Amino acid sequence: MPQYEYGAKVRVIRNVRDDGTFYGATIGNLLVKRGSVGYVRDVGTFLQDQIIYSVHFLDEQKTVGCREEELIGGDDPWERQPLPIPRQSDHQSHPRH
């Protein structure tokens, strides 16, 4: 059962990039920035188990397909989270000779 209905105000919580299905864009191009607010235009499914929302983002003037896990309610609290900083232990050190 879809969480959002037609006309619902939603916010995308991650950057949405073209996966090859957005006409006129190049694969990998940024379509909508995280934090952008849009309105649900349609609800469908992909591979019978993923709910996909067609969301119209007014500021970007684009309608983009978003998975349910990429969305929260448009009025729900949201704070842009900074990108994780790599830990020192994530880098391999090489001894100097």
Side-chain angles (χ1 to χ4, degrees):
M1 187 88 177
Q3 185 173 351
Y4 306 104
E5 296 181 12
Y6 177 83
K9 181 179 176 183
V10 294
R11 182 183 308 275
V12 67
I13 60 170
R14 13 180 127 137
N15 288 334
V16 177
R17 297 186 179 277
D18 181 31
D19 61 0
T21 59
F22 193 86
Y23 180 77
T26 303
I27 293 175
N29 278 5
L30 180 66
L31 298 174
V32 181
K33 289 183 180 181
R34 62 188 173 140
S36 298
V37 172
Y39 295 87
V40 174
R41 282 201 159 167
D42 193 20
V43 181
T45 58
F46 178 70
L47 298 177
Q48 298 180 348
D49 67 344
Q50 293 183 40
I51 296 174
I52 304 293
Y53 296 89
S54 292
V55 179
H56 182 69
F57 294 93
L58 298 174
D59 290 344
E60 292 81 1
Q61 287 299 304
K62 294 178 183 167
T63 300
V64 178
C66 298
R67 293 174 294 169
E68 194 165 71
E69 61 267 16
E70 296 175 315
L71 300 172
I72 61 172
D75 294 322
D76 289 352
W78 181 79
E79 187 176 319
R80 178 173 289 187
Q81 299 296 317
L83 295 174
I85 298 172
R87 297 176 304 189
Q88 195 73 21
S89 62
D90 290 343
H91 299 284
Q92 293 203 5
S93 60
H94 298 285
R96 292 184 178 187
H97 295 290

